[in-house]
């Protein structure tokens, strides 16, 4: 994984011309004594009182231990346990946000998220709103959002991502991460293999709609993805090296997003499908499915689409030879960059490659395994692009296929 020092050096030499954001994370520790180092960090930074935000499960696996370490070193702290809903899920919704806001005392000067993605979203949102910094202590290598700024929260049933704040430090304890449930490890890997299509969508949006593109951010994401895929066997065994690679990849993907201040390198059409499914589950009052599990499944569907129908559409548009009366700019750009787009899509792995990787981890492969019907799959392929204002290939395909009679 890239160090913060190397990242700052590379950022200075990146000549892409886009704004690079300062990475405000001071310390990233991935080790066996990460919890102990959290305690030392508190003391060095002269914090006076911490609020540990966790759910029952994550308090049990890490929060309690951290709390005991705080007690041993006489460090003042409070514990805020976020309660599950009637389906047994902890959701980052208005109820959980209020629970956290009520639990964090005014004299607390640092908030610590001890948990997986949802606990981080709650801590990130509430700490920012209370004007306090927060620290990330992940308990499972399940998602790439620990060190990002965005907090996706559900308000009145609608999920919206708010830009809040990145943690000032991240302490990941390998011993704890290694013991994470297998489906959470598979989910972390699923979130990472989504980067094949998210990176391709970002390039496409750059080629076709002029979206700002930073090669450094893309490269960091690509390296993280490749490291993960190379380590598939070790990750499947949940051995130390494998879990370390997975959490480092997730953190590096988070850093790549922080560098440019948005999630384009890590989130494309495959994430839009996943968000669509999640919103449908919320509407129906169904229990939630892990984010990365959905992304692992949606990535295969998106790859299939991009390599078949979308590619046919690009060939067809390319054969129009630039002279398209009244054509939109984006279509003309696709014609101009036709060869590059085709090359890029051909360089992506087949959906079957992703399938076999996910199978090695015992992760879900088919939508039905996650309770997603074929009807919902079809709806999401037709409408998920409307959830975000990004010029992904999914969006382009939906907008152009009717014009070009590819329905
Ligand atoms: Zn994701």
């Amino acid at each position: 994984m890239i160090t913060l020092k190397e990242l700052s050096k590379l950022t200075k030499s990146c000549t892409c011309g886009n704004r690079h954001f300062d990475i405000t994370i001071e310390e990233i520790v991935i080790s066996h004594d990460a919890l102990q180092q959290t305690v030392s960090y508190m003391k060095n930074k002269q914090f006076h009182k911490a609020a540990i935000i966790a759910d029952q499960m994550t308090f049990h696996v890490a929060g309690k231990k951290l709390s005991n370490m705080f007690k041993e070193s006489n460090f003042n702290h409070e514990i805020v346990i976020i309660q599950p809903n009637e389906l047994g899920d902890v959701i980052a919704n208005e109820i959980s946000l209020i629970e956290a806001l009520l639990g964090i005392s005014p004299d607390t000067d640092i908030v610590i998220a001890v948990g997986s993605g949802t606990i981080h979203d709650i801590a990130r949102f509430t700490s920012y709103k209370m004007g306090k910094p927060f620290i990330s202590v992940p308990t499972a290598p399940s998602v790439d959002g620990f060190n990002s700024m965005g907090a996706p929260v559900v308000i009145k049933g609608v999920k919206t991502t708010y830009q809040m704040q990145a943690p000032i430090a991240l302490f990941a304890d390998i011993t704890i991460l290694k013991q994470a449930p297998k489906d959470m490890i598979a989910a972390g890997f699923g979130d990472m293999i989504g980067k094949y299509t998210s990176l391709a969508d970002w390039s496409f949006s750059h080629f076709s709609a002029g979206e700002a593109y930073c090669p450094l951010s893309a490269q960091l994401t690509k390296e993280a993805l490749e490291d993960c895929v190379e380590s598939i066997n070790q990750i499947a065994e949940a051995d130390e090296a494998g879990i370390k690679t997975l959490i480092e990849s997730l953190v590096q993907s988070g850093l790549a997003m922080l560098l440019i201040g948005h999630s384009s390198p890590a989130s494309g059409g495959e994430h839009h499908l996943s968000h669509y499914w999640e919103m449908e589950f919320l509407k129906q009052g169904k229990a939630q499915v892990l984010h990365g599990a959905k992304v692992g499944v949606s990535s295969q569907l998106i790859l299939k689409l991009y390599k078949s129908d979308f590619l046919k559409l690009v060939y067809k548009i390319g054969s129009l030879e630039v002279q398209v009366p009244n054509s939109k700019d984006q279509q003309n750009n696709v014609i101009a960059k036709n060869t590059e787009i085709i090359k890029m899509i051909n360089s992506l792995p087949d959906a079957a490659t992703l399938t076999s990787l996910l199978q090695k981890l015992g992760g879900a492969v088919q939508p039905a395994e996650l309770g997603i019907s074929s009807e919902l799959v079809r709806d999401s392929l037709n409408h998920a692009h409307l959830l975000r204002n990004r010029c992904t290939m999914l969006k382009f395909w939906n907008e152009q296929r009717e014009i070009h009679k590819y329905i």
Side-chain angles (χ1 to χ4, degrees):
M1 191 186 76
I2 190 161
T3 64
L4 290 168
K5 219 172 174 181
E6 284 162 357
L7 178 59
S8 137
K9 209 170 130 196
L10 283 175
T11 305
K12 279 185 197 117
S13 59
C14 178
T15 54
C16 74
N18 300 304
R19 180 176 170 202
H20 294 122
F21 289 77
D22 288 337
I23 307 281
T24 48
I25 306 177
E26 296 170 354
E27 208 161 331
I28 295 178
V29 174
I30 298 171
S31 72
H32 284 287
D33 65 345
L35 292 187
Q36 198 59 57
Q37 291 207 43
T38 313
V39 181
S40 314
Y41 181 81
M42 293 293 146
K43 297 220 150 173
N44 289 342
K45 294 284 289 182
Q46 298 184 331
F47 286 118
H48 298 290
K49 186 178 173 188
I52 295 177
I53 312 272
D55 58 37
Q56 278 153 359
M57 187 69 85
T58 62
F59 184 72
H60 176 72
V61 299
K64 199 165 185 221
K65 203 170 163 194
L66 184 62
S67 169
N68 286 339
M69 287 176 176
F70 281 157
K71 277 181 204 153
E72 278 163 26
S73 56
N74 289 320
F75 182 75
N76 195 6
H77 67 288
E78 60 194 349
I79 295 157
V80 185
I81 305 289
I82 308 296
Q83 299 301 323
N85 66 8
E86 59 280 5
L87 298 167
D89 290 332
V90 174
I91 307 273
N93 60 8
E94 55 273 69
I95 299 171
S96 303
L97 295 176
I98 294 286
E99 257 183 312
L101 287 170
L102 289 172
I104 304 168
S105 308
D107 64 340
T108 287
D109 52 7
I110 182 79
V111 173
I112 310 177
V114 180
S116 60
T118 306
I119 288 296
H120 275 72
D121 295 333
I122 295 166
R124 185 191 318 282
F125 190 102
T126 50
S127 62
Y128 181 71
K129 286 292 181 188
M130 293 178 89
K132 302 175 196 296
F134 99 97
I135 286 175
S136 159
V137 178
T139 51
S142 55
V143 78
D144 69 354
F146 298 120
N147 52 329
S148 68
M149 283 179 79
V153 296
V154 181
I155 305 292
K156 290 194 171 164
V158 179
K159 185 168 179 163
T160 312
T161 300
Y162 295 93
Q163 290 303 308
M164 295 285 152
Q165 63 183 354
I168 55 166
L170 179 145
F171 298 94
D173 191 306
I174 297 279
T175 316
I176 293 167
L177 297 180
K178 260 173 67 180
Q179 289 161 5
K182 282 228 175 285
D183 61 337
M184 296 195 94
I185 295 172
F189 188 84
D191 206 14
M192 281 314 298
I193 52 167
K195 311 311 175 211
Y196 282 119
T197 46
S198 64
L199 283 170
D201 267 330
W202 193 22
S203 289
F204 177 78
S205 178
H206 174 62
F207 287 150
S208 68
E211 186 187 336
Y213 183 85
C214 168
L216 173 59
S217 171
Q219 185 58 28
L220 289 171
T221 311
K222 188 165 174 262
E223 275 170 19
L225 163 64
E226 287 169 353
D227 285 352
C228 241
V229 172
E230 276 167 26
S231 304
I232 178 73
N233 293 327
Q234 291 159 302
I235 296 172
E237 282 161 23
D239 79 6
E240 189 160 325
I243 295 302
K244 189 158 184 272
T245 303
L246 180 56
I247 187 72
E248 286 184 346
S249 299
L250 293 165
V251 169
Q252 183 158 317
S253 170
L255 287 173
M257 285 189 260
L258 278 182
L259 178 65
I260 49 159
H262 56 80
S263 64
S264 285
S267 162
E270 75 299 318
H271 270 73
H272 300 166
L273 287 196
S274 160
H275 294 319
Y276 193 92
W277 298 342
E278 185 170 346
M279 282 174 65
E280 193 54 36
F281 273 40
L282 282 169
K283 254 190 251 169
Q284 295 176 8
K286 281 169 80 173
Q288 280 305 326
V289 175
L290 288 169
H291 167 77
K294 285 183 290 217
V295 174
V297 168
S298 65
S299 298
Q300 299 165 69
L301 296 169
I302 285 285
L303 259 180
K304 262 185 219 155
L305 174 72
Y306 288 0
K307 281 188 164 269
S308 56
D309 289 6
F310 177 80
L311 202 52
K312 280 186 215 156
L313 178 69
V314 173
Y315 276 120
K316 176 147 186 167
I317 292 176
S319 68
L320 298 175
E321 297 294 346
V322 190
Q323 293 307 319
V324 187
N326 304 321
S327 166
K328 285 187 196 165
D329 283 354
Q330 200 185 2
Q331 186 180 286
N332 275 333
N333 291 338
V334 169
I335 295 168
K337 295 277 186 182
N338 204 263
T339 323
E340 274 154 288
I341 293 167
I342 292 167
K343 210 172 127 193
M344 177 181 78
I345 293 171
N346 284 331
S347 74
L348 293 172
D350 288 326
T353 309
L354 269 59
T355 309
S356 65
L357 288 169
L358 285 165
Q359 276 168 340
K360 280 194 179 184
L361 297 179
V365 171
Q366 298 291 337
E369 291 170 62
L370 303 177
I372 295 155
S373 65
S374 47
E375 197 188 354
L376 181 54
V377 168
R378 199 181 50 238
D379 276 359
S380 59
L381 285 168
N382 291 336
H383 303 295
H385 65 284
L386 301 168
L387 291 179
R388 295 280 191 283
N389 191 21
R390 288 227 173 117
C391 298
T392 60
M393 291 184 263
L394 178 64
K395 187 173 183 201
F396 188 80
W397 178 70
N398 269 294
E399 287 174 349
Q400 299 273 327
R401 67 190 159 133
E402 286 187 38
I403 307 169
H404 296 285
K405 304 279 177 280
Y406 265 103
I407 301 169

